Amino acid sequence: MDDLNGRVALVTGSSRGIGRAIALAFAEAGARVAVHYRSRAAEAEGVAASIRAMNRACLCVQADVSTSAGVDQLVHATEAGLGRVEILVNNAGIARPQPVEEITPADWDEIIAVNLTSCFLLTQAVLPTMRERRWGRIINLSSVAAQLGGVIGPHYAASKAGMHGLTHFYARRFAQEGITANVIAPALIETEMVTSNPNANPGLIPVGRFGAPDEVSAVAVMLARNGYITGQTISVNGGWYMT
Ligand code: NDP
């Protein structure tokens, strides 16, 4: 298993929720971590403070990952502050629960840009360094919505399903270059995204409760350490979708 000590990890959307737990878990594993947020600076600074308290290098970066300019800014700031990105966690995402008949093309475009296009843009930006160094980890946060449809909407489900296709391509293409790409597909993890969604309730989950963010972050660290798992989807969903 690979040592993550000193590796540079960029975790998008790590001001709160699942991303926060993943950023903290990578720091605990010894990584240097870029904490990223879109608008909640104070929460992101709180995560960064916890990481610095562990004596790990850390950087807090604001960027909108739905745009090329935002992604460029995020990657350049991370490289300048911490070094080249070796572990990329595409976690930033939005969910807009909407009645199907009310979803507009603008709603579709927004969800696809934030959840899926960001994943493509960020991966493309960090791949050259990973290839040069012959080591890299790409971890994409999809959703049970890609497998079952979910409780948000078709735009959200499609954005998450698209991440699986991206992951499969990168995993196969770079399998012999020391780069792995995998998906984590969670369901109903107790974050704002879930507690603010009236359609989400623990009764949907076979284990009978919402999941905890650290039940997801433990999987992210495991995937980063393991060079023989690639192209896989690891579901962390309380048994909702079974493979
Ligand atoms: P939260 O809503 O709690 O957090 C979302 C994070 O994404 C925040 O850090 C937010 O930044 C950031 N973000 C949102 N939009 C943008 C943007 N345009 N540019 C940059 N950053 C942005 O989400 P969760 O922690 O619940 O979810 C994390 C990921 O896991 C998401 O991709 C979600 O789809 C997925 N997921 C979650 C599930 C769950 O049960 N919670 C289930 C299945 C999948 P800021 O704080 O600054 O707003």
Side-chain angles (χ1 to χ4, degrees):
M1 300 290 269
D2 291 357
D3 186 0
L4 304 183
N5 209 35
R7 295 280 189 194
V8 175
L10 166 57
V11 185
T12 67
S14 42
S15 45
R16 54 195 165 101
I18 294 170
R20 174 182 184 278
I22 292 175
L24 293 172
F26 276 118
E28 268 165 30
R32 302 151 65 77
V33 182
V35 174
H36 157 258
Y37 66 100
R38 177 189 48 182
S39 53
R40 301 216 193 162
E43 288 173 56
E45 287 297 346
V47 178
S50 302
I51 291 174
R52 290 191 188 106
M54 296 179 210
N55 284 323
R56 306 286 187 232
C58 179
L59 184 75
C60 220
V61 189
Q62 189 283 330
D64 180 351
V65 292
S66 69
T67 67
S68 294
V71 166
D72 287 349
Q73 174 193 328
L74 174 56
V75 172
H76 288 144
T78 304
E79 288 179 353
L82 291 180
R84 301 292 181 85
V85 177
E86 298 167 296
I87 301 165
L88 170 65
V89 183
N90 285 303
N91 167 82
I94 52 170
R96 304 242 190 274
Q98 283 173 288
V100 176
E101 56 281 2
E102 289 177 14
I103 297 170
T104 65
D107 295 326
W108 167 271
D109 288 346
E110 182 193 21
I111 293 269
I112 296 294
V114 176
N115 293 0
L116 180 59
T117 308
S118 66
C119 180
F120 164 72
L121 293 172
L122 275 153
T123 305
Q124 293 292 109
V126 303
L127 263 171
T129 297
M130 291 181 176
R131 297 188 70 189
E132 214 174 275
R133 298 190 171 179
R134 299 190 71 79
W135 197 93
R137 299 285 182 263
I138 299 160
I139 300 169
N140 294 327
L141 272 291
S142 155
S143 168
V144 74
Q147 300 155 324
L148 285 179
V151 293
I152 293 168
H155 46 355
Y156 182 80
S159 72
K160 293 302 184 179
M163 296 178 97
H164 292 232
L166 277 180
T167 305
H168 292 157
F169 180 89
Y170 292 124
R172 176 62 59 92
R173 176 69 180 76
F174 299 113
Q176 296 194 2
E177 297 188 29
I179 299 167
T180 67
N182 290 288
V183 169
I184 300 176
L188 302 193
I189 307 302
E190 197 159 6
T191 68
E192 232 177 276
M193 186 178 281
V194 160
T195 54
S196 65
N197 181 352
N199 301 326
N201 77 77
L204 294 164
I205 303 292
V207 303
R209 64 170 174 85
F210 289 148
D214 63 3
E215 291 174 309
V216 182
S217 61
V219 175
V221 171
M222 179 278 288
L223 287 172
R225 285 197 166 127
N226 194 315
Y228 200 62
I229 299 178
T230 195
Q232 303 304 311
T233 297
I234 313 288
S235 295
V236 185
N237 64 18
W240 195 3
Y241 173 72
M242 300 188 188
T243 51

